Amino acid sequence: MKDQHTVIETKDLRKVYGMNGISVLAIDGLDITIREGEFVSIMGPSGSGKSTLMNILGCLDRPTEGEYYLDGQAISSKTREDLARIRNQQIGFIFQSYNLLPRFSAVENVMLPMMYNRHNHIEIKNRQELAMQALDSVGLSDRAHHLPKELSGGQQQRVAIARALVNKPILIMADEPTGNLDTKSTQEIMGLLLNLHKQGRTIVMITHEPEIAVLTERTINIRDGKIESDKLQKLQKGVSK
């Protein structure tokens, strides 16, 4: 690997949940390093801790112990306001359920991250232009003014990808991005993600599907809050589901 700088680094990361007076250790001392431009899938059975890990890496939750550095920033000590700003400006999220606002058109949904950025002084006209560019990059500019209900599942996920890209984040977090899609749409979405990877984007993807994970260049398997395996693999061509 070239001298790419580190985007994600965790040191002895732990997360403990309290339930009915009982402590549950969801993450148990994880050390993970992900460098710029990597496409990494995270797998694990239900209850393995992979969703908890994604919430921490996505700055949606804090670790109980340990350190998390995002692009060199110590995240564990950030305030709630800091975390909200980091999520908006530095992380692009793609969810299984798309999370589009139903009364907003595709282009309006893509504009949302720019609208939520209080430090963004881009005029509305320019925001729309940037959103249209993002939609064009995922092949959906011709559906810019359609509502989510007027789009297929695959098209809605492409809108979500455009929304994740519009603020030019340093990290893309994808949570089961093909979980609700048929085979054809799965192929299209994975093709888009692989193309983003080729462009140098850093992508971390949660998935429970081995045939999806094998398409990435690295798979981290988690079990009982610990890393079970961390394997590099050759990028594959094509996807089945």
Side-chain angles (χ1 to χ4, degrees), residues 131-151:
M132 286 298 297
Q133 290 172 14
L135 282 172
D136 187 56
S137 73
V138 299
L140 213 61
S141 57
D142 60 334
R143 295 289 188 272
H145 301 291
H146 286 62
L147 297 174
K149 67 180 180 180
E150 299 170 324
L151 303 172

Side-chain angles (χ1 to χ4, degrees), residues 13-57:
L13 205 65
R14 298 176 189 273
K15 181 66 180 182
V16 179
Y17 291 108
M19 301 175 62
N20 299 322
I22 300 174
S23 294
V24 177
L25 186 59
I27 296 293
D28 187 9
L30 292 188
D31 295 323
I32 295 174
T33 299
I34 296 174
R35 300 191 183 280
E36 181 184 15
E38 282 196 273
F39 190 175
V40 180
S41 55
I42 297 177
M43 295 192 67
S46 178
S48 62
K50 64 181 185 297
S51 295
T52 299
L53 177 60
M54 179 178 176
N55 287 339
I56 293 173
L57 298 182

Side-chain angles (χ1 to χ4, degrees), residues 169-212:
I170 61 170
L171 172 66
I172 295 172
M173 298 289 301
D175 185 9
E176 301 279 4
T178 62
N180 287 343
L181 303 178
D182 59 24
T183 300
K184 183 176 183 295
S185 296
T186 293
Q187 293 172 337
E188 292 173 351
I189 295 305
M190 287 308 300
L192 279 173
L193 292 177
L194 288 166
N195 188 49
L196 290 172
H197 165 65
K198 290 177 183 177
Q199 295 172 18
R201 298 279 186 173
T202 307
I203 307 172
V204 175
M205 178 177 69
I206 304 292
T207 183
H208 68 277
E209 300 173 277
E211 62 270 30
I212 298 299

Side-chain angles (χ1 to χ4, degrees), residues 51-238:
S51 295
T52 299
L53 177 60
M54 179 178 176
N55 287 339
I56 293 173
L57 298 182
C59 297
L60 295 164
D61 198 1
R62 301 173 185 273
T64 305
E65 298 178 23
E67 296 296 329
Y68 170 33
Y69 297 92
L70 176 64
D71 199 31
Q73 301 178 82
I75 298 299
S76 305
S77 60
K78 296 290 186 183
T79 66
R80 291 178 61 182
E81 291 75 17
D82 288 337
L83 293 180
R85 176 182 51 78
I86 290 168
R87 288 194 301 269
N88 176 265
Q89 297 178 17
Q90 296 184 275
I91 304 174
F93 290 95
I94 305 167
F95 299 99
Q96 177 178 345
S97 56
Y98 323 131
N99 287 11
L100 302 179
L101 295 184
R103 296 185 180 182
F104 280 38
S105 67
V107 69
E108 289 170 334
N109 268 285
V110 175
M111 289 171 64
L112 284 174
M114 291 184 284
M115 295 167 61
Y116 292 149
N117 184 354
R118 290 180 296 176
H119 302 284
N120 188 339
H121 303 296
I122 301 175
E123 295 181 359
I124 293 177
K125 179 182 177 181
N126 292 333
R127 290 179 190 174
Q128 186 168 18
E129 289 177 358
L130 291 170
M132 286 298 297
Q133 290 172 14
L135 282 172
D136 187 56
S137 73
V138 299
L140 213 61
S141 57
D142 60 334
R143 295 289 188 272
H145 301 291
H146 286 62
L147 297 174
K149 67 180 180 180
E150 299 170 324
L151 303 172
S152 68
Q155 289 172 332
Q156 289 184 62
Q157 194 60 294
R158 281 196 267 169
V159 174
I161 293 174
R163 180 184 59 195
L165 295 173
V166 76
N167 270 348
K168 298 179 173 57
I170 61 170
L171 172 66
I172 295 172
M173 298 289 301
D175 185 9
E176 301 279 4
T178 62
N180 287 343
L181 303 178
D182 59 24
T183 300
K184 183 176 183 295
S185 296
T186 293
Q187 293 172 337
E188 292 173 351
I189 295 305
M190 287 308 300
L192 279 173
L193 292 177
L194 288 166
N195 188 49
L196 290 172
H197 165 65
K198 290 177 183 177
Q199 295 172 18
R201 298 279 186 173
T202 307
I203 307 172
V204 175
M205 178 177 69
I206 304 292
T207 183
H208 68 277
E209 300 173 277
E211 62 270 30
I212 298 299
V214 76
L215 297 173
T216 67
E217 64 178 343
R218 178 182 170 195
T219 299
I220 299 173
N221 280 282
I222 295 177
R223 185 178 294 272
D224 298 326
K226 298 181 179 180
I227 294 177
E228 187 175 53
S229 64
D230 186 346
K231 298 179 180 179
L232 294 172
Q233 56 214 13
K234 291 184 178 179
L235 285 172
Q236 304 293 313
K237 294 181 179 179

